[in-house]
């Protein structure tokens, strides 16, 4: 490896150095012949300095207004321009690509059906699409740089922005519109707001709820009348009618149960949040569910009641009757889907962050693909078995609705043939 390579000397500089060495040699030869070495050396250096200054000037001019035509020169300066030109081309290409991407991004966000606003951590609006302009009455140009909470003035929004807890979306009313909005922080302290007008969806939901509730109420009366008549007919001792009448009566009872559970669900849905101010004694609540389950079971299973450390003062917040109904539904299911003489446990424990309570059984279990759908209305793993056991397919939907209203979570774990655990988690 040569010495020049050790210092990473380029071919251009090597040429420049060779040229200088040659010039120096000429100066020394002519200088010694004419006895004017010093003068010739000074002239030589002067010419070189002027040449360098000339090239520096060319470079500054080119840098001020770069173009694809680089100045014509040679030696190391030729190399400098060659490298600069390639750098310039690469940058131009990258800039063009970036501009294209930005244009495409702007086009796609403009076409988005959602309102989109970009704002900084001080709340200053930096960009918004036409849908956002329409939804929040924002003016292009005029409102850029304005604080977002000065332009969207609903108190719920102001609170949401000031709390900076953007994990869950915000739903609020603006004039006649219902708006669902979420905020996502991203790079450089910027925040992306995306919102949609859900007025129509909310209206349809209300209509669906009202329809179910009204239909259920309307059906209740004729069914009560029919059940009265069937009961009367069953009292008449007529062997050939007894069996069909019993079957009709069982179906009427089933219909009554479905209707009352549908009405219950509609009532729960009508007010999405439960009054969580009452502090409830969980031990007392579960004890009531346990006593009721013992009566329903009539000694067919071993029902256990297990509260961590037998803590009679374990507390949760919520509505007593609703929570009683949720745990009762879980107990009824355990009794329904568990073979006789096996163990069913009603449990509760605290973990420092919240309270877990629920029911564990050693029953038939549920295959994993059904678990995510169990809380859907009328979803049943085995419809025949559910009907035969007096199920309606609404029990777990009611449990989920009640827990949602309490800000609680619902966890289901199950193994086919081993049993299931239904756990309700109430965060502190
Ligand atoms: P159902 O009235 O049919 O019991 P649910 O909504 O309460 O309706 O439950 C939905 C389905 O989940 C049931 O049909 C049943 O298949 C299954 N399931 C619920 N609880 C249990 C359990 N403890 N063990 C096994 N399967 C269960």
């Amino acid at each position: 490896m040569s010495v020049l390579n050790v210092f990473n000397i380029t071919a251009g500089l090597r040429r420049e150095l060779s040229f200088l060495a040659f010039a120096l040699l000429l100066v020394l030869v002519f200088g010694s012949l004419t006895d004017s070495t010093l003068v010739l050396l000074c002239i030589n250096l002067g010419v070189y300095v002027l040449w360098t200054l000339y090239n520096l000037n060319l470079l500054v001019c080119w840098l001020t207004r770069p173009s694809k035509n680089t100045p014509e020169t040679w030696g190391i300066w030729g190399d400098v321009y060659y490298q600069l030109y390639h750098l310039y081309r690469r940058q131009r290409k990258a800039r063009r690509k970036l501009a294209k991407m930005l244009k495409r991004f702007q086009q796609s966000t403009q076409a988005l059906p959602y309102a989109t606003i970009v704002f900084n951590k001080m709340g200053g609006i930096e960009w918004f699409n036409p849908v956002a302009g329409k939804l929040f009455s924002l003016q292009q140009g005029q409102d850029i740089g304005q604080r977002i909470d000065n332009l969207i003035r609903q108190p719920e929004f102001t609170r949401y922005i000031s709390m900076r807890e953007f994990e869950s979306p915000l739903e609020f009313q603006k004039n006649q519109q219902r708006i669902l909005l979420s905020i996502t922080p991203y790079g450089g302290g910027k925040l992306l707001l995306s919102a949609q007008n859900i007025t129509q969806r909310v209206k349809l939901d209300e209509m669906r709820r009202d329809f179910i509730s009204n239909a259920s109420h309307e059906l209740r009366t004729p069914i009560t009348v029919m059940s009265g008549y069937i009961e009367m007919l069953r009292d008449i001792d007529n062997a050939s009618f007894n069996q069909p009448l019993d079957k009709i009566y069982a179906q009427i009872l089933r219909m009554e149960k479905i209707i009352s559970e549908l009405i219950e669900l509609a009532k729960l849905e009508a007010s999405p949040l439960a009054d969580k101010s009452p502090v409830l004694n969980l031990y007392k609540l579960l004890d009531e569910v346990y006593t009721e389950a013992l009566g329903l079971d009539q000694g067919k299973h071993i029902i256990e009641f297990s509260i961590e450390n037998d803590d009679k003062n374990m507390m949760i917040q919520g509505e007593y009757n609703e929570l009683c109904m949720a745990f009762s539904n879980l107990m009824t299911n355990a009794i329904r889907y568990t073979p006789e003489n096996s163990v069913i446990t009603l449990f509760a424990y605290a973990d420092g962050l919240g309270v877990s309570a629920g029911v564990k059984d050693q029953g038939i279990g549920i295959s994993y693909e059904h678990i995510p759908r169990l809380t859907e209305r009328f979803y049943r793993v085995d419809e025949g078995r559910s009907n035969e056991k007096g199920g309606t397919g609404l029990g777990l939907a009611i449990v989920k609705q009640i827990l949602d209203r309490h800000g609680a979570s619902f966890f289901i774990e199950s193994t086919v043939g081993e049993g299931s655990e239904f756990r309700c988690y109430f965060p502190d």
Side-chain angles (χ1 to χ4, degrees):
M1 191 185 291
S2 78
V3 179
L4 295 182
N5 279 347
V6 171
F7 292 106
N8 194 15
I9 287 177
T10 60
L13 183 56
R14 224 176 293 158
R15 270 200 312 277
E16 190 88 357
L17 287 174
S18 317
F19 174 76
L20 273 178
F22 179 68
L24 202 65
L25 194 72
L26 282 182
V27 164
L28 287 177
V29 172
F30 278 105
S32 59
L33 288 177
T34 55
D35 210 14
S36 56
T37 312
L38 203 63
V39 179
L40 284 176
L41 202 64
C42 285
I43 293 172
N44 194 5
L45 277 177
V47 169
Y48 191 72
V49 167
L50 282 176
W51 165 245
T52 307
L53 285 175
Y54 167 74
N55 276 301
L56 274 174
N57 186 48
L58 281 182
L59 179 64
V60 171
C61 290
W62 187 82
L63 285 176
T64 333
R65 203 168 298 156
S67 72
K68 60 181 179 187
N69 301 322
T70 49
E72 293 276 336
T73 186
W74 52 273
I76 190 144
W77 288 101
D79 280 8
V80 168
Y81 286 121
Y82 179 78
Q83 295 300 342
L84 275 176
Y85 176 65
H86 280 277
L87 197 71
Y88 165 74
R89 268 186 55 167
R90 275 202 298 274
Q91 268 188 352
R92 254 172 71 124
K93 240 184 180 171
R95 220 181 315 140
R96 248 185 266 141
K97 208 167 149 190
L98 215 69
K100 249 190 202 164
M101 272 166 62
L102 196 70
K103 201 169 165 198
R104 238 180 283 147
F105 168 75
Q106 282 184 343
Q107 279 169 346
S108 56
T109 43
Q110 303 245 341
L112 271 180
Y114 304 120
T116 313
I117 303 177
V118 173
F119 61 100
N120 57 33
K121 55 184 169 203
M122 307 302 290
I125 296 179
E126 297 194 349
W127 181 87
F128 59 86
N129 69 353
V131 187
K134 210 164 151 205
L135 190 62
F136 297 113
S137 317
L138 305 177
Q139 308 286 324
Q140 278 295 351
Q142 186 181 318
D143 288 333
I144 296 287
Q146 297 288 334
R147 280 182 61 120
I148 192 158
D149 47 352
N150 282 344
L151 299 173
I152 305 174
R153 300 189 67 92
Q154 276 62 34
E156 299 96 323
F157 180 76
T158 315
R159 215 174 309 123
Y160 187 64
I161 284 274
S162 62
M163 303 236 322
R164 302 211 150 247
E165 283 170 7
F166 303 133
E167 287 85 25
S168 41
L170 170 74
E171 200 182 312
F172 65 99
Q173 190 80 21
K174 183 179 177 289
N175 306 328
Q176 301 299 315
Q177 298 170 321
R178 194 89 199 141
I179 290 171
L180 181 69
L181 167 155
S182 65
I183 292 178
T184 318
Y186 67 100
K190 303 266 188 279
L191 296 113
L192 181 83
L193 178 152
S194 106
Q196 53 178 317
N197 184 349
I198 54 162
T199 317
Q200 205 58 24
R201 203 170 82 195
V202 171
K203 262 192 198 146
L204 281 173
D205 247 26
E206 264 168 28
M207 274 162 65
R208 179 187 57 82
R209 272 204 303 270
D210 287 351
F211 171 75
I212 294 175
S213 165
N214 293 339
S216 311
H217 275 107
E218 290 300 324
L219 284 171
R220 197 176 228 178
T221 320
I223 284 174
T224 314
V225 173
M226 275 159 66
S227 104
Y229 278 114
I230 299 287
E231 263 184 79
M232 225 169 70
L233 289 171
R234 283 171 81 218
D235 287 343
I236 302 168
D237 200 16
N238 185 333
S240 54
F241 280 122
N242 277 355
Q243 209 195 3
L245 281 177
D246 281 352
K247 281 194 176 157
I248 296 174
Y249 188 63
Q251 289 305 318
I252 285 182
L253 287 186
R254 200 169 115 68
M255 274 203 272
E256 271 181 341
K257 202 166 166 220
I258 293 178
I259 285 168
S260 68
E261 288 192 352
L262 276 174
I263 292 175
E264 197 56 57
L265 253 178
K267 254 197 276 171
L268 289 170
E269 276 186 337
S271 55
L273 287 181
D275 178 9
K276 275 182 66 186
S277 48
V279 178
L280 311 175
N281 183 317
L282 186 63
Y283 185 93
K284 259 177 76 182
L285 190 151
L286 291 182
D287 193 37
E288 194 178 317
V289 174
Y290 172 66
T291 312
E292 185 194 291
L294 287 179
L296 177 76
D297 189 54
Q298 296 182 334
K300 289 184 188 135
H301 297 90
I302 303 156
I303 301 183
E304 291 178 348
F305 183 32
S306 152
I307 281 220
E308 191 187 25
N309 304 326
D310 204 26
D311 184 358
K312 294 194 167 65
N313 294 317
M314 198 177 274
M315 299 291 175
I316 55 169
Q317 280 180 293
E319 289 188 1
Y320 191 89
N321 291 337
E322 283 186 22
L323 293 170
C324 257
M325 190 194 298
F327 291 115
S328 274
N329 282 359
L330 296 181
M331 276 310 267
T332 313
N333 278 350
I335 292 171
R336 240 181 231 155
Y337 303 110
T338 303
E340 287 188 11
N341 298 321
S342 60
V343 179
I344 297 171
T345 313
L346 182 61
F347 65 85
Y349 58 87
D351 64 4
L353 295 171
V355 170
S356 285
V359 176
K360 200 174 164 161
D361 66 48
Q362 297 174 341
I364 55 173
I366 306 157
S367 179
Y368 71 95
E369 70 269 19
H370 295 292
I371 292 179
R373 301 198 57 192
L374 289 180
T375 53
E376 287 174 19
R377 278 148 216 234
F378 298 114
Y379 187 84
R380 280 164 285 189
V381 176
D382 178 341
E383 195 171 336
R385 192 198 298 261
S386 162
N387 288 348
E388 176 196 312
K389 302 264 181 187
T392 58
L394 291 169
L396 292 181
I398 292 179
V399 174
K400 178 76 171 63
Q401 189 69 36
I402 292 174
L403 294 181
D404 283 352
R405 280 164 50 75
H406 283 79
S409 314
F410 192 30
F411 300 98
I412 305 174
E413 277 173 34
S414 187
T415 310
V416 175
E418 284 183 23
S420 316
E421 181 181 299
F422 295 82
R423 182 168 65 91
C424 314
Y425 182 68
F426 300 87
D428 284 341

